[in-house]
Amino acid sequence: MSRTRTTLRRAGAVTALTAAGLLAAAGVASAHVTVHPDSYAKGATDGVLTFRVPNEEDTASTTKVQVFLPTDHPVLGVLVHPQDGWSAQVTNTKLKTPLKTDDGTITDAVSEITFTGGKIAPGQYEDFNVAFGQLPDDTDQLTFKALQTYSDGKTVRWIETPSGGQEPENPAPVLKLTAKGADESGSTSTGSPANSKSSASAKSTASSSDSTARGLGIAGLVVGVLGLAAAVFTVLRGRSTGSRAE
């Protein structure tokens, strides 16, 4: 009986460690500053980008978030959604090459948004919503570098880009710009079929990282349960063999 209890305890420990390890790995993998959705159609109009900022520290709060928008492929018509407890300062930069649009020539665009005044406590995250009038149609992706400052003075620089197929330690949020569909006119205004498809895609992509983390956790639990079941089967089989021998 003591051997049985020892075997079951060991199997249970392996189960717990396996599940905990995979869940921890999933948590680390998703604890970056990210942009949601992670893709939009080139030239999309009247949309919203959500910058999700998690707190990775155990003893400090996030007190400042800076998001830098590219000016070589500018995002036009940027508006910041009011955030409870936070103040937003928007910085405009003069474009090297003015853009001609249906509404006239654009000579400057938003290059930085700084959020201050609020706090993101350890173990929590904050979503910062930014509306745009139009995305560029002459590039395949937009990189939004970000700086995250903590109450203890530490600043994490989310500015790195992938190199050699490997994800960097502090990756910058990246928005992929996809080709327009054959049935799309290029304008994805609210209420249009194209915008409905984009919204559905946005919801799917925004939840993909969370689904991956949950999937890893479930996989770890399944592996652990199977290991425990195998251990129990081995014990019972041994006891049955011993009984027949007697």
Side-chain angles (χ1 to χ4, degrees), residues 83-233:
Q83 193 81 2
D84 289 343
W86 294 86
S87 298
Q89 179 179 349
V90 178
T91 300
N92 288 276
T93 296
K94 191 174 185 63
L95 299 177
K96 293 181 179 180
T97 303
L99 296 177
K100 294 183 178 181
T101 69
D102 294 339
D103 297 324
T105 301
I106 305 297
T107 59
D108 59 86
V110 174
S111 59
E112 179 184 346
I113 305 173
T114 300
F115 299 93
T116 56
K119 287 185 178 181
I120 307 175
Q124 298 181 359
Y125 71 90
E126 190 83 54
D127 283 341
F128 298 93
N129 296 322
V130 176
F132 62 82
Q134 183 173 354
L135 297 177
D137 59 4
D138 57 351
T139 184
D140 293 329
Q141 68 178 34
L142 296 175
T143 300
F144 299 94
K145 296 182 179 181
L147 300 182
Q148 181 178 10
T149 301
Y150 288 90
S151 55
D152 60 2
K154 177 182 178 180
T155 297
V156 180
R157 301 168 61 84
W158 303 98
I159 63 173
E160 299 174 0
T161 55
S163 177
Q166 296 183 346
E167 182 180 4
E169 182 178 356
N170 296 315
V174 174
L175 177 71
K176 297 178 181 178
L177 298 181
T178 60
K180 304 169 186 176
D183 60 340
E184 295 183 18
S185 63
S187 174
T188 54
S189 58
T190 304
S192 68
N195 189 63
S196 298
K197 294 178 182 178
S198 177
S199 299
S201 175
K203 293 179 181 179
S204 176
T205 53
S207 61
S208 61
S209 58
D210 293 337
S211 298
T212 300
R214 287 196 297 269
L216 287 172
I218 293 172
L221 293 175
V222 170
V223 170
V225 171
L226 290 176
L228 181 60
V232 173
F233 176 76

